[in-house]
Amino acid sequence: MASQNLQSVPAELSPEEQEREAAGQAYFDRIISEDSRIEPRDWMPAAYRKTLLRQISQHAHSEIIGMQPEANWITRAPSLKRKSILMAKVQDEAGHGLYLYSAAETLGQSRDQMMEDLIAGKARYSSIFNYPTISWADMGAIGWLVDGAAICNQVPLCRASYGPYGRAMVRICKEESFHQRQGFEILLELSNGTPAQKQMAQDAVNRWYAPSLMMFGPPDDDSPNSKQSMAWNIKRFSNDELRSRFVGMMVEQVRVLGLTLPDKDIRFNEETKKWEHGPLDWNEFKEVLAGRGPCNSQRVERRREAHESGAWVREAAVAYARKQAQKENAA
Amino acid sequence: MAPHGNPEAPASAASEINREAPKVAATTNESTTTKPASGPAVTSHGATEETPWSLWEVFVRSSRGLSHVHAGSLHAPDAAMALRNARDLYTRRNEGVSIWVVPAEAISSSDPDSKGSFFESPQGKDYRHATYYTKSEGVKHL
Protein backbone atom coordinates (compact mmCIF):
# COMPACT_ATOMS: atom_id res chain seq x y z
CA MET A 1 0.00 0.00 0.00
CA ALA A 2 1.34 3.40 -0.96
CA SER A 3 1.08 5.07 2.41
CA GLN A 4 0.76 3.72 5.86
CA ASN A 5 1.56 6.72 7.97
CA LEU A 6 -1.88 6.75 9.57
CA GLN A 7 -1.93 3.21 10.76
CA SER A 8 1.04 1.76 12.52
CA VAL A 9 1.20 -1.29 10.33
CA PRO A 10 4.61 -2.92 10.70
CA ALA A 11 6.51 -3.38 7.47
CA GLU A 12 6.81 -7.11 8.02
CA LEU A 13 3.54 -8.89 8.59
CA SER A 14 3.31 -12.32 10.14
CA PRO A 15 1.50 -14.93 8.05
CA GLU A 16 -1.45 -14.60 10.40
CA GLU A 17 -1.59 -10.84 9.95
CA GLN A 18 -1.22 -11.19 6.21
CA GLU A 19 -4.19 -13.49 6.19
CA ARG A 20 -6.22 -11.02 8.18
CA GLU A 21 -5.23 -8.19 5.84
CA ALA A 22 -6.22 -10.26 2.81
CA ALA A 23 -9.56 -11.15 4.37
CA GLY A 24 -10.11 -7.48 5.21
CA GLN A 25 -9.30 -6.38 1.70
CA ALA A 26 -11.66 -8.98 0.23
CA TYR A 27 -14.43 -7.84 2.55
CA PHE A 28 -13.76 -4.18 1.73
CA ASP A 29 -13.75 -4.88 -2.02
CA ARG A 30 -17.06 -6.69 -1.77
CA ILE A 31 -18.71 -3.83 0.14
CA ILE A 32 -17.46 -1.31 -2.42
CA SER A 33 -18.51 -3.42 -5.40
CA GLU A 34 -21.99 -3.77 -3.89
CA ASP A 35 -22.04 0.02 -3.52
CA SER A 36 -22.68 -0.46 0.19
CA ARG A 37 -21.13 1.59 3.00
CA ILE A 38 -17.94 1.24 5.00
CA GLU A 39 -18.33 2.00 8.70
CA PRO A 40 -15.64 3.20 11.14
CA ARG A 41 -14.78 -0.14 12.69
CA ASP A 42 -14.54 -2.00 9.39
CA TRP A 43 -11.19 -2.94 7.94
CA MET A 44 -10.16 -0.46 5.26
CA PRO A 45 -7.04 0.05 3.15
CA ALA A 46 -4.62 2.57 4.68
CA ALA A 47 -4.78 4.70 1.52
CA TYR A 48 -8.59 4.82 1.66
CA ARG A 49 -8.41 6.02 5.26
CA LYS A 50 -5.78 8.59 4.37
CA THR A 51 -7.71 9.92 1.37
CA LEU A 52 -10.89 10.28 3.39
CA LEU A 53 -9.13 11.91 6.28
CA ARG A 54 -7.55 14.44 3.95
CA GLN A 55 -10.80 15.20 2.17
CA ILE A 56 -13.04 15.35 5.24
CA SER A 57 -10.66 17.43 7.35
CA GLN A 58 -10.09 19.88 4.48
CA HIS A 59 -13.82 20.09 4.08
CA ALA A 60 -14.26 20.76 7.81
CA HIS A 61 -11.57 23.43 7.80
CA SER A 62 -13.27 25.07 4.81
CA GLU A 63 -16.52 25.38 6.74
CA ILE A 64 -14.75 26.87 9.75
CA ILE A 65 -12.62 29.32 7.76
CA GLY A 66 -15.66 30.00 5.57
CA MET A 67 -17.33 31.70 8.53
CA GLN A 68 -14.94 34.63 8.28
CA PRO A 69 -15.70 36.25 4.91
CA GLU A 70 -19.38 36.39 5.86
CA ALA A 71 -18.92 37.25 9.52
CA ASN A 72 -17.17 40.31 8.13
CA TRP A 73 -20.60 41.72 7.19
CA ILE A 74 -22.69 40.80 10.22
CA THR A 75 -22.19 44.17 11.89
CA ARG A 76 -22.85 46.02 8.65
CA ALA A 77 -25.83 44.08 7.30
CA PRO A 78 -28.37 46.51 5.80
CA SER A 79 -31.28 45.50 8.03
CA LEU A 80 -32.05 43.56 11.19
CA LYS A 81 -33.62 40.83 9.07
CA ARG A 82 -30.52 40.45 6.92
CA LYS A 83 -28.37 40.47 10.02
CA SER A 84 -30.37 37.66 11.63
CA ILE A 85 -30.22 35.63 8.43
CA LEU A 86 -26.48 36.13 8.10
CA MET A 87 -25.87 35.12 11.70
CA ALA A 88 -27.94 31.97 11.21
CA LYS A 89 -25.94 31.16 8.11
CA VAL A 90 -22.57 31.67 9.77
CA GLN A 91 -23.76 29.54 12.68
CA ASP A 92 -24.68 26.82 10.19
CA GLU A 93 -21.15 26.91 8.77
CA ALA A 94 -19.81 26.30 12.27
CA GLY A 95 -22.22 23.40 12.60
CA HIS A 96 -21.12 21.94 9.28
CA GLY A 97 -17.51 22.13 10.37
CA LEU A 98 -18.37 20.26 13.57
CA TYR A 99 -20.32 17.50 11.78
CA LEU A 100 -17.32 16.99 9.52
CA TYR A 101 -14.74 17.03 12.31
CA SER A 102 -16.79 14.31 13.99
CA ALA A 103 -16.75 12.26 10.80
CA ALA A 104 -12.98 12.73 10.46
CA GLU A 105 -12.47 11.68 14.07
CA THR A 106 -14.03 8.29 13.36
CA LEU A 107 -10.99 7.64 11.14
CA GLY A 108 -8.65 7.96 14.08
CA GLN A 109 -7.52 11.58 13.94
CA SER A 110 -8.04 13.67 17.08
CA ARG A 111 -9.93 16.93 16.78
CA ASP A 112 -7.22 18.80 18.65
CA GLN A 113 -4.68 17.64 16.10
CA MET A 114 -6.83 18.87 13.23
CA MET A 115 -7.29 22.23 14.91
CA GLU A 116 -3.55 22.45 15.54
CA ASP A 117 -2.82 21.73 11.89
CA LEU A 118 -5.24 24.42 10.80
CA ILE A 119 -3.91 27.20 12.99
CA ALA A 120 -0.33 26.21 12.26
CA GLY A 121 -1.10 26.84 8.58
CA LYS A 122 -0.35 23.20 7.74
CA ALA A 123 -3.86 22.17 6.69
CA ARG A 124 -5.55 23.09 3.45
CA TYR A 125 -9.03 24.43 2.96
CA SER A 126 -11.03 25.58 -0.04
CA SER A 127 -9.19 28.36 -1.86
CA ILE A 128 -12.42 30.35 -2.27
CA PHE A 129 -12.35 31.59 1.33
CA ASN A 130 -9.12 33.46 0.78
CA TYR A 131 -10.85 36.12 -1.29
CA PRO A 132 -12.03 39.28 0.46
CA THR A 133 -15.67 40.32 0.86
CA ILE A 134 -15.60 43.96 -0.09
CA SER A 135 -19.27 44.83 -0.53
CA TRP A 136 -22.64 43.73 0.82
CA ALA A 137 -23.40 42.21 -2.58
CA ASP A 138 -20.62 39.71 -1.89
CA MET A 139 -22.96 38.10 0.66
CA GLY A 140 -25.34 37.53 -2.21
CA ALA A 141 -22.69 36.24 -4.59
CA ILE A 142 -21.24 33.90 -1.97
CA GLY A 143 -24.65 32.44 -1.20
CA TRP A 144 -25.63 32.07 -4.82
CA LEU A 145 -22.35 31.06 -6.48
CA VAL A 146 -20.13 29.67 -3.72
CA ASP A 147 -22.83 27.79 -1.85
CA GLY A 148 -24.36 26.83 -5.19
CA ALA A 149 -21.09 25.25 -6.27
CA ALA A 150 -20.75 23.62 -2.85
CA ILE A 151 -24.21 22.05 -3.16
CA CYS A 152 -23.38 20.74 -6.64
CA ASN A 153 -20.29 19.14 -5.20
CA GLN A 154 -21.89 17.89 -2.02
CA VAL A 155 -25.12 16.30 -3.16
CA PRO A 156 -23.26 13.34 -4.73
CA LEU A 157 -21.11 13.11 -1.59
CA CYS A 158 -24.23 12.13 0.37
CA ARG A 159 -23.69 8.73 -1.29
CA ALA A 160 -19.99 8.55 -0.44
CA SER A 161 -18.93 5.03 0.49
CA TYR A 162 -17.79 6.06 3.98
CA GLY A 163 -20.90 6.07 6.18
CA PRO A 164 -20.09 8.90 8.61
CA TYR A 165 -19.06 11.21 5.75
CA GLY A 166 -22.23 10.51 3.77
CA ARG A 167 -24.40 11.09 6.84
CA ALA A 168 -22.69 14.40 7.61
CA MET A 169 -23.22 15.46 4.01
CA VAL A 170 -26.95 14.66 4.12
CA ARG A 171 -27.35 16.97 7.08
CA ILE A 172 -25.23 19.67 5.46
CA CYS A 173 -27.03 19.56 2.11
CA LYS A 174 -30.39 20.02 3.81
CA GLU A 175 -29.13 23.23 5.35
CA GLU A 176 -27.21 24.54 2.34
CA SER A 177 -30.28 25.14 0.22
CA PHE A 178 -31.33 27.95 2.55
CA HIS A 179 -27.89 29.45 2.07
CA GLN A 180 -28.13 29.51 -1.69
CA ARG A 181 -31.64 30.91 -1.76
CA GLN A 182 -30.87 33.73 0.65
CA GLY A 183 -27.86 34.67 -1.50
CA PHE A 184 -29.98 34.66 -4.63
CA GLU A 185 -32.52 36.90 -2.90
CA ILE A 186 -29.86 39.42 -1.88
CA LEU A 187 -28.68 39.68 -5.48
CA LEU A 188 -32.21 39.85 -6.85
CA GLU A 189 -33.12 42.71 -4.56
CA LEU A 190 -29.98 44.63 -5.43
CA SER A 191 -30.53 43.94 -9.11
CA ASN A 192 -34.03 45.40 -8.89
CA GLY A 193 -32.77 48.38 -6.90
CA THR A 194 -31.01 51.57 -7.98
CA PRO A 195 -28.50 51.47 -10.86
CA ALA A 196 -25.70 51.71 -8.30
CA GLN A 197 -27.09 48.72 -6.38
CA LYS A 198 -27.45 46.73 -9.56
CA GLN A 199 -23.87 47.58 -10.45
CA MET A 200 -22.75 46.42 -7.01
CA ALA A 201 -24.49 43.07 -7.58
CA GLN A 202 -22.93 42.68 -11.03
CA ASP A 203 -19.50 43.52 -9.67
CA ALA A 204 -19.82 40.85 -6.98
CA VAL A 205 -20.91 38.23 -9.53
CA ASN A 206 -17.98 39.22 -11.75
CA ARG A 207 -15.50 38.69 -8.93
CA TRP A 208 -16.91 35.43 -7.52
CA TYR A 209 -17.72 33.64 -10.78
CA ALA A 210 -14.29 32.25 -11.68
CA PRO A 211 -13.23 31.37 -8.13
CA SER A 212 -16.51 29.48 -7.66
CA LEU A 213 -15.90 27.45 -10.83
CA MET A 214 -12.47 26.60 -9.48
CA MET A 215 -14.05 25.19 -6.32
CA PHE A 216 -14.65 21.96 -8.25
CA GLY A 217 -10.92 21.40 -8.30
CA PRO A 218 -8.41 21.13 -11.13
CA PRO A 219 -9.40 19.84 -14.59
CA ASP A 220 -9.78 16.07 -14.83
CA ASP A 221 -6.47 15.55 -16.63
CA ASP A 222 -4.70 17.36 -13.79
CA SER A 223 -6.49 15.75 -10.87
CA PRO A 224 -4.37 12.77 -9.81
CA ASN A 225 -6.56 11.58 -6.93
CA SER A 226 -9.92 11.73 -8.67
CA LYS A 227 -9.77 8.35 -10.37
CA GLN A 228 -9.01 6.42 -7.21
CA SER A 229 -11.66 8.34 -5.27
CA MET A 230 -14.21 7.41 -7.89
CA ALA A 231 -13.15 3.76 -7.82
CA TRP A 232 -13.71 3.83 -4.06
CA ASN A 233 -17.15 5.41 -4.50
CA ILE A 234 -16.11 8.47 -2.52
CA LYS A 235 -16.52 10.75 -5.52
CA ARG A 236 -19.31 9.99 -7.94
CA PHE A 237 -18.60 12.49 -10.71
CA SER A 238 -15.44 14.07 -12.05
CA ASN A 239 -14.49 17.70 -11.36
CA ASP A 240 -15.17 18.79 -14.94
CA GLU A 241 -18.50 17.00 -15.07
CA LEU A 242 -19.74 18.78 -11.94
CA ARG A 243 -18.33 22.12 -13.10
CA SER A 244 -20.13 21.81 -16.41
CA ARG A 245 -23.43 21.03 -14.67
CA PHE A 246 -22.98 24.01 -12.40
CA VAL A 247 -22.37 26.37 -15.32
CA GLY A 248 -25.58 25.13 -16.93
CA MET A 249 -27.59 25.93 -13.81
CA MET A 250 -26.04 29.35 -13.36
CA VAL A 251 -26.74 30.31 -16.98
CA GLU A 252 -30.44 29.84 -16.34
CA GLN A 253 -30.50 31.51 -12.95
CA VAL A 254 -28.49 34.59 -13.88
CA ARG A 255 -31.25 35.53 -16.32
CA VAL A 256 -33.79 35.66 -13.51
CA LEU A 257 -31.40 37.92 -11.65
CA GLY A 258 -31.18 40.27 -14.62
CA LEU A 259 -27.38 40.08 -14.40
CA THR A 260 -24.72 38.47 -16.58
CA LEU A 261 -21.90 35.99 -16.03
CA PRO A 262 -18.46 37.41 -16.86
CA ASP A 263 -17.71 34.68 -19.40
CA LYS A 264 -18.38 35.15 -23.10
CA ASP A 265 -17.33 31.59 -23.93
CA ILE A 266 -20.20 29.84 -22.19
CA ARG A 267 -21.99 27.55 -24.61
CA PHE A 268 -23.90 24.30 -24.71
CA ASN A 269 -22.00 21.72 -26.71
CA GLU A 270 -24.67 19.84 -28.68
CA GLU A 271 -22.30 16.97 -29.37
CA THR A 272 -21.21 16.21 -25.83
CA LYS A 273 -24.44 17.58 -24.34
CA LYS A 274 -22.34 19.47 -21.84
CA TRP A 275 -21.97 23.11 -20.89
CA GLU A 276 -18.61 24.67 -21.66
CA HIS A 277 -17.01 27.75 -20.15
CA GLY A 278 -14.06 30.02 -20.85
CA PRO A 279 -10.53 29.26 -19.65
CA LEU A 280 -9.84 29.55 -15.91
CA ASP A 281 -6.65 30.89 -14.39
CA TRP A 282 -5.30 27.75 -12.75
CA ASN A 283 -2.10 29.51 -11.80
CA GLU A 284 -4.12 31.79 -9.58
CA PHE A 285 -5.82 28.72 -8.09
CA LYS A 286 -2.46 27.16 -7.28
CA GLU A 287 -1.11 30.41 -5.85
CA VAL A 288 -4.09 30.82 -3.53
CA LEU A 289 -3.94 27.17 -2.52
CA ALA A 290 -0.24 27.53 -1.77
CA GLY A 291 -1.03 30.28 0.71
CA ARG A 292 -0.50 33.33 -1.48
CA GLY A 293 -4.10 34.44 -1.92
CA PRO A 294 -5.39 37.86 -0.91
CA CYS A 295 -6.49 36.81 2.59
CA ASN A 296 -4.72 33.55 3.46
CA SER A 297 -2.61 34.77 6.35
CA GLN A 298 -5.43 36.90 7.73
CA ARG A 299 -7.85 33.93 7.76
CA VAL A 300 -5.49 31.58 9.59
CA GLU A 301 -4.37 34.32 11.96
CA ARG A 302 -7.95 35.10 12.91
CA ARG A 303 -8.70 31.41 13.53
CA ARG A 304 -5.62 31.10 15.71
CA GLU A 305 -6.60 34.18 17.66
CA ALA A 306 -10.11 32.85 18.28
CA HIS A 307 -8.81 29.44 19.28
CA GLU A 308 -6.19 30.75 21.67
CA SER A 309 -8.33 33.48 23.19
CA GLY A 310 -10.97 30.85 23.88
CA ALA A 311 -8.57 28.50 25.63
CA TRP A 312 -9.40 29.81 29.10
CA VAL A 313 -13.10 29.17 28.51
CA ARG A 314 -12.44 25.56 27.59
CA GLU A 315 -10.13 25.14 30.57
CA ALA A 316 -12.62 26.74 32.95
CA ALA A 317 -15.37 24.41 31.71
CA VAL A 318 -13.16 21.41 32.39
CA ALA A 319 -12.28 22.69 35.86
CA TYR A 320 -15.94 23.29 36.64
CA ALA A 321 -16.90 19.82 35.42
CA ARG A 322 -14.17 18.28 37.57
CA LYS A 323 -15.32 20.19 40.65
CA GLN A 324 -18.93 19.18 40.14
CA ALA A 325 -17.90 15.55 39.78
CA GLN A 326 -15.89 15.74 43.00
CA LYS A 327 -18.84 17.24 44.84
CA GLU A 328 -21.07 14.47 43.60
CA ASN A 329 -18.59 11.84 44.71
CA ALA A 330 -18.33 13.40 48.17
CA ALA A 331 -22.10 13.52 48.64
CA MET B 1 -16.67 51.28 -2.76
CA ALA B 2 -15.34 51.81 0.75
CA PRO B 3 -17.84 50.48 3.27
CA HIS B 4 -17.25 51.86 6.72
CA GLY B 5 -14.62 49.99 8.62
CA ASN B 6 -14.52 46.99 6.32
CA PRO B 7 -11.24 45.27 7.14
CA GLU B 8 -11.48 43.43 3.84
CA ALA B 9 -11.88 46.55 1.73
CA PRO B 10 -9.21 46.23 -0.89
CA ALA B 11 -5.89 47.91 -0.35
CA SER B 12 -5.31 46.94 -3.95
CA ALA B 13 -7.61 45.42 -6.53
CA ALA B 14 -9.54 42.51 -5.06
CA SER B 15 -8.55 40.11 -7.77
CA GLU B 16 -4.88 40.79 -7.29
CA ILE B 17 -3.01 37.95 -5.69
CA ASN B 18 -0.86 38.76 -2.73
CA ARG B 19 2.59 37.60 -3.71
CA GLU B 20 4.00 37.99 -0.24
CA ALA B 21 4.78 34.82 1.60
CA PRO B 22 2.27 34.04 4.33
CA LYS B 23 3.39 35.23 7.73
CA VAL B 24 1.42 32.66 9.61
CA ALA B 25 4.13 30.17 10.39
CA ALA B 26 6.58 32.76 11.63
CA THR B 27 4.41 34.10 14.44
CA THR B 28 3.58 30.72 15.93
CA ASN B 29 2.80 30.74 19.63
CA GLU B 30 4.27 34.15 20.29
CA SER B 31 0.97 35.87 20.73
CA THR B 32 0.03 33.65 23.66
CA THR B 33 3.11 34.28 25.75
CA THR B 34 3.16 38.05 25.42
CA LYS B 35 -0.35 38.56 26.76
CA PRO B 36 -0.69 40.35 30.11
CA ALA B 37 -1.66 37.99 32.91
CA SER B 38 -5.16 39.29 33.49
CA GLY B 39 -7.81 36.88 34.66
CA PRO B 40 -7.54 33.18 33.98
CA ALA B 41 -6.07 34.01 30.58
CA VAL B 42 -4.11 31.86 28.23
CA THR B 43 -1.10 30.29 29.85
CA SER B 44 2.14 29.77 28.06
CA HIS B 45 1.42 26.16 27.21
CA GLY B 46 0.02 25.38 23.82
CA ALA B 47 -3.44 24.12 22.98
CA THR B 48 -2.21 20.54 22.82
CA GLU B 49 -1.72 20.45 26.57
CA GLU B 50 -5.32 21.36 27.30
CA THR B 51 -7.42 18.66 28.87
CA PRO B 52 -9.42 17.49 25.89
CA TRP B 53 -13.17 17.54 26.17
CA SER B 54 -14.52 14.03 26.01
CA LEU B 55 -16.62 12.62 23.19
CA TRP B 56 -20.40 12.29 23.55
CA GLU B 57 -22.90 10.58 21.28
CA VAL B 58 -26.10 12.50 20.68
CA PHE B 59 -29.57 10.98 20.25
CA VAL B 60 -32.52 13.14 19.23
CA ARG B 61 -36.25 12.43 19.47
CA SER B 62 -37.66 14.26 16.50
CA SER B 63 -41.24 14.35 17.73
CA ARG B 64 -43.41 12.87 20.43
CA GLY B 65 -44.14 9.21 19.86
CA LEU B 66 -40.86 8.43 18.11
CA SER B 67 -37.67 6.94 19.56
CA HIS B 68 -34.46 8.83 20.05
CA VAL B 69 -32.25 8.32 17.01
CA HIS B 70 -28.49 8.77 16.80
CA ALA B 71 -27.78 12.21 15.33
CA GLY B 72 -24.02 12.47 15.67
CA SER B 73 -21.36 13.25 18.23
CA LEU B 74 -19.67 16.20 19.87
CA HIS B 75 -17.11 17.16 22.49
CA ALA B 76 -18.03 18.58 25.88
CA PRO B 77 -16.55 18.73 29.39
CA ASP B 78 -19.68 17.41 31.10
CA ALA B 79 -23.23 16.22 30.48
CA ALA B 80 -24.85 19.64 30.99
CA MET B 81 -22.60 21.27 28.41
CA ALA B 82 -23.00 18.29 26.10
CA LEU B 83 -26.76 18.81 26.16
CA ARG B 84 -26.46 22.50 25.43
CA ASN B 85 -23.98 21.92 22.64
CA ALA B 86 -26.20 19.18 21.22
CA ARG B 87 -29.14 21.55 21.19
CA ASP B 88 -27.14 24.15 19.27
CA LEU B 89 -25.55 21.67 16.93
CA TYR B 90 -28.32 19.21 16.13
CA THR B 91 -31.60 21.08 16.69
CA ARG B 92 -31.14 24.49 15.07
CA ARG B 93 -34.30 23.91 13.01
CA ASN B 94 -36.72 22.32 15.46
CA GLU B 95 -35.38 18.87 14.72
CA GLY B 96 -36.02 17.63 18.21
CA VAL B 97 -38.23 17.65 21.28
CA SER B 98 -35.81 15.69 23.46
CA ILE B 99 -32.09 14.92 23.47
CA TRP B 100 -29.97 12.19 25.06
CA VAL B 101 -26.23 12.52 25.39
CA VAL B 102 -24.14 9.46 26.23
CA PRO B 103 -20.39 9.35 26.88
CA ALA B 104 -19.00 7.58 23.82
CA GLU B 105 -16.84 5.37 26.01
CA ALA B 106 -19.93 4.06 27.83
CA ILE B 107 -21.27 2.43 24.67
CA SER B 108 -20.56 -1.24 24.11
CA SER B 109 -20.94 -2.56 20.60
CA SER B 110 -20.79 -5.87 18.82
CA ASP B 111 -17.50 -6.80 17.21
CA PRO B 112 -17.54 -5.91 13.51
CA ASP B 113 -15.07 -8.71 12.73
CA SER B 114 -17.43 -11.40 13.93
CA LYS B 115 -20.58 -9.94 12.43
CA GLY B 116 -21.20 -13.13 10.51
CA SER B 117 -21.39 -15.44 13.48
CA PHE B 118 -22.92 -12.91 15.84
CA PHE B 119 -25.96 -12.41 13.65
CA GLU B 120 -26.14 -15.99 12.42
CA SER B 121 -29.06 -17.32 14.40
CA PRO B 122 -31.94 -15.60 12.52
CA GLN B 123 -30.61 -16.90 9.22
CA GLY B 124 -32.54 -19.74 7.69
CA LYS B 125 -35.47 -18.97 9.95
CA ASP B 126 -37.73 -17.50 7.33
CA TYR B 127 -40.68 -18.87 9.26
CA ARG B 128 -40.30 -15.90 11.57
CA HIS B 129 -41.64 -13.68 8.79
CA ALA B 130 -45.26 -13.43 7.72
CA THR B 131 -44.17 -13.75 4.08
CA TYR B 132 -43.12 -17.38 4.77
CA TYR B 133 -46.77 -18.42 4.95
CA THR B 134 -48.12 -18.39 1.40
CA LYS B 135 -51.07 -20.78 1.59
CA SER B 136 -53.24 -18.08 3.06
CA GLU B 137 -52.74 -15.80 0.05
CA GLY B 138 -55.98 -14.24 -1.11
CA VAL B 139 -57.70 -14.78 2.22
CA LYS B 140 -59.00 -11.44 3.40
CA HIS B 141 -57.92 -9.68 6.61
CA LEU B 142 -55.14 -12.20 7.28
Side-chain angles (χ1 to χ4, degrees), chain A residues 111-302:
Chain A
R111 190 173 304 206
D112 289 345
Q113 186 58 52
M114 289 186 271
M115 198 45 73
E116 278 294 293
D117 288 348
L118 178 62
I119 62 178
K122 281 193 264 177
R124 280 187 167 179
Y125 54 86
S126 181
S127 62
I128 193 93
F129 301 116
N130 290 317
Y131 291 89
T133 50
I134 62 179
S135 80
W136 168 251
D138 287 7
M139 298 305 97
I142 288 183
W144 179 51
L145 288 170
V146 176
D147 290 317
I151 292 171
C152 233
N153 227 340
Q154 290 171 351
V155 168
L157 287 174
C158 295
R159 292 187 291 129
S161 59
Y162 188 57
Y165 191 29
R167 292 193 284 274
M169 292 315 307
V170 168
R171 203 170 271 282
I172 289 173
C173 284
K174 268 189 204 159
E175 301 180 353
E176 286 285 357
S177 48
F178 134 61
H179 297 181
Q180 197 188 13
R181 283 187 182 202
Q182 65 88 33
F184 187 87
E185 229 184 81
I186 289 175
L187 289 177
L188 190 64
E189 256 173 60
L190 288 172
S191 179
N192 292 331
T194 65
Q197 286 172 329
K198 183 167 184 175
Q199 182 49 42
M200 184 163 84
Q202 183 63 59
D203 169 67
V205 170
N206 290 352
R207 278 181 292 110
W208 291 95
Y209 169 75
S212 70
L213 290 200
M214 291 196 269
M215 284 174 70
F216 293 96
D220 292 350
D221 48 20
D222 190 26
S223 178
N225 300 324
S226 280
K227 223 179 199 167
Q228 180 61 74
S229 283
M230 286 172 79
W232 278 329
N233 293 341
I234 298 173
K235 270 174 90 100
R236 299 287 175 165
F237 303 99
S238 79
N239 296 352
D240 286 335
E241 165 76 34
L242 290 170
R243 187 164 20 241
S244 155
R245 276 194 210 176
F246 177 65
V247 170
M249 290 187 238
M250 295 300 108
V251 165
E252 293 286 314
Q253 295 174 9
V254 80
R255 283 193 206 120
V256 183
L257 287 175
L259 302 171
T260 56
L261 294 176
D263 185 347
K264 55 184 181 350
D265 297 325
I266 294 181
R267 67 182 196 110
F268 186 71
N269 186 329
E270 285 294 344
E271 244 166 67
T272 59
K273 299 283 173 212
K274 284 192 196 326
W275 284 92
E276 291 173 356
H277 55 84
L280 295 166
D281 184 355
W282 291 107
N283 279 333
E284 176 180 316
F285 178 76
K286 281 177 191 150
E287 283 290 297
V288 178
L289 213 55
R292 292 183 286 272
C295 298
N296 292 56
S297 49
Q298 178 187 337
R299 298 285 187 244
V300 175
E301 205 75 58
R302 179 80 58 86

Side-chain angles (χ1 to χ4, degrees), chain A residues 7-39:
Chain A
Q7 288 174 317
S8 51
V9 183
E12 291 292 315
L13 294 178
S14 69
E16 205 177 80
E17 286 167 325
Q18 274 177 16
E19 203 175 294
R20 209 180 308 141
E21 289 283 296
Q25 181 75 50
Y27 179 74
F28 176 85
D29 291 344
R30 202 184 76 226
I31 298 278
I32 295 293
S33 71
E34 287 170 354
D35 199 1
S36 182
R37 300 290 180 266
I38 300 292
E39 293 295 341

Side-chain angles (χ1 to χ4, degrees), chain A residues 27 41-42 72 76 92 99 102 105 111 132-134 171 175 178 287 292 299-300 308 312 314 318, chain B residues 3-4 6-8 17-19 24 31-32 40 42 47 50 53 71 73 75 89 92-93 109-110 115:
Chain A
Y27 179 74
R41 295 177 71 204
D42 288 337
N72 181 39
R76 278 170 281 122
D92 273 356
Y99 305 153
S102 292
E105 274 179 293
R111 190 173 304 206
T133 50
I134 62 179
R171 203 170 271 282
E175 301 180 353
F178 134 61
E287 283 290 297
R292 292 183 286 272
R299 298 285 187 244
V300 175
E308 289 176 351
W312 73 269
R314 297 190 294 275
V318 170
Chain B
H4 5 278
N6 182 359
E8 304 203 350
I17 304 295
N18 179 9
R19 304 282 163 189
V24 189
S31 57
T32 48
V42 190
E50 277 172 35
W53 289 6
S73 51
H75 289 262
L89 190 55
R92 288 196 299 283
R93 291 177 174 77
S109 66
S110 58
K115 50 174 83 76

